[in-house]
Amino acid sequence: MTAVPAYATSASAASASAASADATTAEATRGGTAPKTGDGARERIRRHLEELARVGAVGAQVRVTDENGTWTARAGKARADGGAPVPRGGLFRAGSTTKMFTAVALLQLVGEDKVSLDDSVDRYLPAGLVPGAGHITVRMLLQHTSGLHDLARDLPQGEDLVRTRFRHYDSTRLVREAAARTPDFPPGTDYGYSNTNYVVLGLIIERVTGRSYAEEVRDRIIEPLRLRHTSVPEDGTSLPGPHAHGYITLQGKGESDARQVDITELNPSMAGAAGEAVTSTHDMDAFLTALTSGKLLRPAEWKEMNRTVPTGDPDSRYGLGLKHRKSSCGRLAVGHTGGIPGFATLAFTTPDRSHRVVLSANLALSLIHI
């Protein structure tokens, strides 16, 4: 997992969690030489998973595909106050891995000549909604080079988050408020991860199609791929199936005042097109497989999706809703990371689909990465 804006009560534990998740990805995409079982690599991944559950999560689950087939593992618990394990194939909030779905829906519209990547945003949205929209292109939104202030910085934290977690967030209002803030840099001059970009893209999809981005994602991706455990819940607050519980930790005045709050149920409209999806490791793996095998995008749009810019991390670049990550063994993996209060997700595949990993952790800490 990458470093992200976070509601974090323990930076060291958060860093350890990220390192453990990164190690799992590296191990899964490394490629092995074991002739049959690959038990050594699998045992190392299980250890990384147990470490993740120990330092920053209540539990975690992973689905891995390598030269020895597909297998799953889990560690930790489904609930902080219970002994049951994380359910096999349990649902989780996908966070920013949702951006891949939003990007695919938008790129399909590009392939249908309904949207142009190099059109300015003011062609699609009402005047004044995004100041300077004439200088921001659709491609910049997808690639996080617009400079728009990240709305996630302004979301409620701590007790405020717990108190308002069932609140509905209007996407237009979120964009208007975030876009009114001073930009981080002039459009097209730098990279800066901003969830505002993808909420704007959701509004563009709605304007072009006359239907919500969620309806388009369902009809273009979820239904055709038969992702039976994936949904775009909009204002739906619960997880519609077996799942582990995610938490935030609220810190009081003293060290002994810290308490965990179950944040599993919330209104994900705070994330919208940037991070509200619910899914399973099986479905996310099926999505990555379909995406990289050409079932969702034509070659021209797939090529555009993989046009990347540097992110400041020498091992990572960003395309159009798609991260390129170089593992420690030098193997390229494409996919995305993500999180939302209570959950963190990681989903990557090698371009040839021979090595794939989808990981979900139900958090113990108060982290956010929409």
Side-chain angles (χ1 to χ4, degrees):
M1 293 165 58
T2 52
V4 295
Y7 299 141
T9 56
S10 173
S12 60
S15 297
S17 297
S20 184
D22 261 344
T24 301
T25 304
E27 194 66 56
T29 58
R30 183 185 305 278
T33 57
K36 291 184 179 180
T37 64
D39 285 343
R42 293 186 181 190
E43 182 56 35
R44 288 191 292 273
I45 289 174
R46 289 190 180 95
R47 287 201 302 268
H48 293 315
L49 205 64
E50 290 167 359
E51 178 68 7
L52 179 60
R54 185 182 70 82
V55 300
V58 174
Q61 59 174 317
V62 68
R63 179 184 179 92
V64 176
T65 297
D66 57 22
E67 65 277 0
N68 299 296
T70 298
W71 61 283
T72 62
R74 54 185 175 163
K77 301 182 295 183
R79 303 180 68 126
D81 59 356
V86 175
R88 295 190 185 278
L91 304 184
F92 54 87
R93 297 194 185 278
S96 277
T97 55
T98 304
K99 289 181 172 68
M100 293 189 289
F101 290 76
T102 301
V104 166
L106 192 286
L107 286 167
Q108 287 186 0
L109 293 172
V110 170
E112 295 163 10
D113 294 325
K114 296 177 181 176
V115 177
S116 171
L117 289 173
D118 297 312
D119 276 346
S120 58
V121 172
D122 61 357
R123 176 172 178 178
Y124 302 103
L125 296 182
L129 178 60
V130 178
H135 301 287
I136 299 173
T137 66
V138 174
R139 185 188 301 275
M140 291 176 190
L141 297 174
L142 285 160
Q143 213 166 47
H144 294 298
T145 57
S146 72
L148 289 174
H149 172 84
D150 187 358
L151 60 85
R153 301 176 200 165
D154 306 319
L155 291 174
Q157 302 183 36
E159 295 282 4
D160 288 341
L161 171 62
V162 174
R163 187 177 63 256
T164 64
R165 60 178 161 157
F166 297 117
R167 166 189 168 187
H168 166 76
Y169 286 83
D170 177 74
S171 293
T172 300
R173 181 174 179 179
L174 281 173
V175 168
R176 180 175 287 113
E177 292 176 352
R181 301 230 179 209
T182 302
D184 293 340
F185 49 82
T189 64
D190 203 351
Y191 169 88
Y193 191 92
S194 173
N195 293 283
T196 307
N197 291 319
Y198 276 74
V199 179
V200 174
L201 288 167
L203 293 177
I204 290 175
I205 291 171
E206 180 175 349
R207 189 73 173 224
V208 169
T209 66
R211 306 169 74 235
S212 71
Y213 104 91
E215 291 174 298
E216 291 295 315
V217 166
R218 291 185 195 111
D219 288 353
R220 292 173 177 273
I221 303 170
I222 295 174
E223 291 299 327
L225 296 183
R226 298 182 181 178
L227 304 181
R228 304 187 191 282
H229 303 293
T230 299
S231 61
V232 187
E234 299 178 276
D235 285 324
T237 60
S238 61
L239 299 184
H243 59 274
H245 288 238
Y247 300 81
I248 63 170
T249 300
L250 302 179
Q251 184 66 53
K253 293 182 180 179
E255 290 186 9
S256 61
D257 295 334
R259 64 186 177 93
Q260 277 187 344
V261 177
D262 189 327
I263 201 75
T264 308
E265 293 194 350
L266 53 75
N267 188 324
S269 62
M270 67 171 66
E276 75 175 3
V278 170
T279 191
S280 67
T281 57
H282 173 277
D283 279 11
M284 184 61 74
D285 182 54
F287 168 78
L288 285 175
T289 299
L291 177 61
T292 52
S293 62
K295 292 182 179 179
L296 291 173
L297 294 175
R298 301 185 315 173
E301 283 70 57
W302 175 239
K303 182 177 180 180
E304 293 292 347
M305 195 175 195
N306 285 276
R307 291 186 184 275
T308 62
V309 294
T311 64
D313 178 351
D315 294 323
S316 179
R317 295 178 65 89
Y318 202 92
L320 307 187
L322 194 69
K323 290 186 178 184
H324 280 207
R325 184 85 183 163
K326 185 181 292 185
S327 70
S328 57
C329 64
R331 186 185 289 266
L332 175 65
V334 300
H336 218 288
T337 54
I340 196 166
F343 296 88
T345 305
L346 180 150
F348 282 92
T349 179
T350 54
D352 66 1
R353 300 170 297 284
S354 63
H355 293 75
R356 307 190 301 274
V357 57
V358 180
L359 180 148
S360 170
N362 50 308
L363 299 177
L365 300 175
S366 47
L367 299 174
I368 186 170
H369 173 191
I370 291 176

